[in-house]
Amino acid sequence: MIVNLEKLKQGRNEFQVEYGEKELDLTKVDFTLLGKVRAHLLFFKSRTNVKLSIELTYRLRMTCSRCLEEFERDFNEKSTYYLKQGQEEYREEKHLTDEDIFTLYYAVEEIDVTPLVREMVILSVPMKPLCREDCKGLCPVCGANLNYENCGHTQEKVDPRLLKLKELKDLLGKS
Ligand SMILES: [Zn+2]
Ligand SMILES: [Zn+2]
């Protein structure tokens, strides 16, 4: 979606937009967009400065980095951009409170929101997605999914403090 900043009225300008997988160019990524990304765009114009708040809701299917099972999760992402007229078109990133604040300088009077939405979606996906916090992963010996079965190959979980003690015992046992 391309918005002409010159044409926005002073104050609030709101839009509801939906983006599909193809529009956002999310076909060659390692997650799947389920349905559409619903975007709420709020442009707040004050003279020539524009504050753009984007709120997105969407659902993704990802692959767990430990057990390799697919799982789905809902996302709700918010970002704020300050649009200032200028020569350069670059981005300055600042982290304030819990929202990501960006300042975009626009050389032209129009802004394409689609790449911003795409970036927000991509950045929301964890580097190592987990189906759940305590996913047990796959057995390194037989590949069994340890969330569902106990193949008997894995050692019992050892408390790191006990491990130290065990190392010490082994050491003493050797001497
Ligand atoms: Zn998992
Ligand atoms: Zn096993």
Side-chain angles (χ1 to χ4, degrees):
M1 182 186 173
I2 293 170
V3 175
N4 187 320
L5 298 171
E6 303 288 337
K7 286 184 182 160
L8 293 175
K9 62 178 194 281
Q10 291 292 313
R12 293 169 74 92
N13 298 259
E14 289 181 80
F15 303 94
Q16 295 280 357
V17 199
E18 287 193 334
Y19 293 93
E21 187 182 59
K22 288 211 174 68
E23 290 161 86
L24 292 176
D25 189 23
L26 293 176
T27 49
K28 285 177 191 148
V29 290
D30 52 9
F31 56 85
T32 310
L33 174 65
L34 301 168
K36 298 210 167 194
V37 173
R38 284 183 311 173
H40 175 248
L41 312 176
L42 170 61
F43 292 86
F44 194 91
K45 189 171 178 180
S46 160
R47 295 189 188 182
T48 57
N49 290 333
V50 178
K51 178 185 169 187
L52 166 60
S53 304
I54 303 180
E55 181 170 0
L56 307 178
T57 51
Y58 49 94
R59 188 171 178 84
L60 300 182
R61 181 185 293 139
M62 293 165 283
T63 305
C64 176
S65 59
R66 273 190 209 150
C67 69
L68 310 179
E69 290 265 312
E70 291 196 322
F71 66 101
E72 298 176 7
R73 185 170 296 158
D74 289 315
F75 287 80
N76 178 243
E77 296 292 316
K78 291 175 193 158
S79 275
T80 304
Y81 301 84
Y82 287 97
L83 311 172
K84 291 177 184 294
Q85 209 147 20
Q87 297 304 306
E88 295 155 279
E89 210 170 319
Y90 70 94
R91 188 169 305 188
E92 191 185 324
E93 194 174 333
K94 288 172 190 156
H95 289 281
L96 297 172
T97 66
D98 55 341
E99 273 188 33
D100 285 334
I101 309 280
F102 301 93
T103 305
L104 289 177
Y105 292 86
Y106 62 95
V108 289
E109 66 273 17
E110 291 182 330
I111 178 167
D112 185 1
V113 179
T114 311
L116 301 180
V117 171
R118 178 177 197 269
E119 191 179 70
M120 283 174 71
V121 173
I122 288 178
L123 290 177
S124 71
V125 180
M127 293 288 279
K128 289 184 187 293
L130 289 179
C131 61
R132 54 185 218 221
E133 279 299 315
D134 63 344
C135 171
K136 295 192 184 82
L138 300 177
C139 168
V141 179
C142 71
N145 186 333
L146 302 173
N147 295 314
Y148 302 134
E149 54 183 304
N150 188 354
C151 56
H153 287 122
T154 48
Q155 298 105 342
E156 287 163 36
K157 273 195 181 159
V158 186
D159 186 310
R161 284 166 300 180
L162 290 178
L163 206 66
K164 276 268 180 284
L165 205 68
K166 190 179 173 300
E167 279 171 19
L168 198 69
K169 271 187 188 165
D170 287 350
L171 213 72
L172 291 173
K174 271 179 207 151
S175 58

